[in-house]
Amino acid sequence: MKSGSLSGTVERIKNQGASIKALLAVWGCLLLAAATGAQALGYVHELTGSANVRTGSASPRALNVGDLVDQGQTVATGLNSTAIIKFEDGQVMAMHEQSSFVVQQYQYNKQQVSASRMAFEVLRGGLRFITGVIGATNRNAVRISAGNATIGIRGTDGTIVYDPATRVVSTAVNAGAIAMTTPLGTQTIGVGAFSTASPSAPPAPPAPIASAAPAVQQAVTALIQQAVPVNTPVVVQVSARAVAAQAQALALQQQAVQQPADTALQQAAQQALQQAQQAVAEAVAAAQTAYQQAINAGAVPPAPPAPVPGQPPVPAPKPPAAAPKPPAEATVPVVPPPLVPPPTAPPGGGAASPS
């Protein structure tokens, strides 16, 4: 992405108000994602409110859309905040407010997908997990723990709610099935049901989610209402750049709406939109290639996540042998067309969401 002309324009308009500081923060995370050459495991696909990441015992740092996530890191959301982390194999972790989890292990073997492994630990709050090709290919390769419970994957889409004060773990299933195991026993849970376990009691027999504790119902409902990305493989750095570019374009366009007479701001918003569209196209193409490579390496196509209530279900990804194409995403808000288009360009044509 060419940053010189756009960053110069942003510099000229940065005195327009305090909101520019937030815009520059997003731009900084975009440049960081573009500059890094390290192999990343996942990235922040979507973020509302605040979130941070901590490596080991180091101090936490704030997260932005497009930031990268790696093994050994702890991700946490703040009050009234949500985040979606997507991993290279398509695994999706959607976080409720005041929640945190640790990436204990993540090894994606692109030459032999069945040899891949991942492990996460939920430290507090609510987490929705949707399996990618690792879990679809080898369900025993995915392990999620919370308190004294271990969650075994038997399907694609579930939610864990953990209260570290009481050490009570609740699990619910949106699609597929899961098995919750503690030292005191195991329960297999199906769609629309939940189970609860504590250090002093084995997992309870599955019951309808409507009978769960209010806090559990609230977390499960909020997370299932959250639109999530398609759970197929991506090239992490490319997708990270795309969502960061979308975030920057959206921020500039919102400012352009508020200041329609500022010509420099209108031009910056239009240029950011064009750059976001290019970044998204690159991310989609890279994701299609990554998906086909996974299938060639023996991956099983993952079942789609449970649909948002009131919306049609997402079709299961079935890539053709020659030209795979994951289903269109419905997550990061599509960047709207510029409200003040340049004279030579007709209005319309927002950027699609990257994979």
Side-chain angles (χ1 to χ4, degrees):
M1 179 178 294
K2 297 178 180 179
S3 61
S5 58
L6 180 56
S7 60
T9 303
V10 172
E11 178 65 24
R12 291 195 299 273
I13 64 174
K14 68 179 181 179
N15 294 324
Q16 294 291 339
S19 58
I20 287 290
K21 294 180 179 179
L23 169 62
L24 293 177
V26 174
W27 181 232
C29 92
L30 172 60
L31 293 178
L32 178 62
T36 180
Q39 179 68 28
L41 307 178
Y43 68 99
V44 181
H45 184 88
E46 187 174 336
L47 173 63
T48 61
S50 63
N52 64 66
V53 64
R54 185 183 75 250
T55 302
S57 60
S59 298
R61 61 175 176 82
L63 279 175
N64 295 297
V65 172
D67 278 0
L68 304 178
V69 176
D70 212 335
Q71 182 170 283
Q73 292 186 325
T74 300
V75 182
T77 53
L79 182 64
N80 298 321
S81 303
T82 62
I84 294 177
I85 313 299
K86 182 169 181 179
F87 291 85
E88 187 177 13
D89 78 300
Q91 175 81 27
V92 174
M93 305 295 253
M95 304 177 67
H96 194 41
E97 65 171 342
Q98 295 185 299
S99 301
S100 62
F101 77 96
V102 183
V103 185
Q104 294 179 319
Q105 179 186 27
Y106 188 91
Q107 298 173 347
Y108 180 35
N109 187 328
K110 293 188 284 293
Q111 285 70 48
Q112 185 181 354
V113 175
S114 61
S116 304
R117 293 289 184 273
M118 67 171 73
F120 306 96
E121 180 181 6
V122 180
L123 301 178
R124 67 166 182 161
L127 180 75
R128 180 184 178 190
F129 57 90
I130 303 165
T131 54
V133 295
I134 292 178
T137 305
N138 179 7
R139 65 186 190 183
N140 294 320
V142 180
R143 181 174 59 85
I144 304 177
S145 61
N148 70 335
T150 299
I151 310 304
I153 304 301
R154 300 292 182 268
T156 181
D157 189 340
T159 300
I160 299 173
V161 180
Y162 178 55
D163 182 348
T166 62
R167 299 178 65 191
V168 171
V169 182
S170 299
T171 58
V173 178
N174 306 314
I178 60 176
M180 179 164 63
T181 299
T182 74
L184 300 178
T186 297
Q187 285 287 354
T188 299
I189 309 157
V191 177
F194 88 103
S195 177
T196 295
S198 69
S200 60
I209 295 175
S211 63
V216 174
Q217 290 189 49
Q218 194 274 337
V220 171
T221 300
L223 287 168
I224 195 65
Q225 291 285 347
Q226 203 172 358
V228 293
V230 63
N231 52 328
T232 48
V234 294
V235 177
V236 169
Q237 289 88 345
V238 180
S239 287
R241 287 198 296 270
V243 294
Q246 281 191 312
Q248 185 195 357
L250 183 59
L252 274 169
Q253 288 192 347
Q254 289 173 341
Q255 292 202 16
V257 172
Q258 299 170 358
Q259 303 174 55
D262 190 321
T263 303
L265 186 56
Q266 304 304 317
Q267 292 175 345
Q270 173 64 17
Q271 185 175 0
L273 174 62
Q274 294 171 348
Q275 292 177 340
Q277 290 172 331
Q278 179 181 351
V280 167
E282 293 172 353
V284 170
Q288 291 173 354
T289 299
Y291 190 26
Q292 183 61 63
Q293 289 174 342
I295 297 300
N296 293 342
V300 174
V308 175
Q311 294 186 9
V314 177
K318 296 179 180 179
K325 185 175 183 179
E329 290 200 20
T331 55
V332 176
V334 173
V335 178
L339 297 182
V340 185
T344 57
S353 177
S355 297

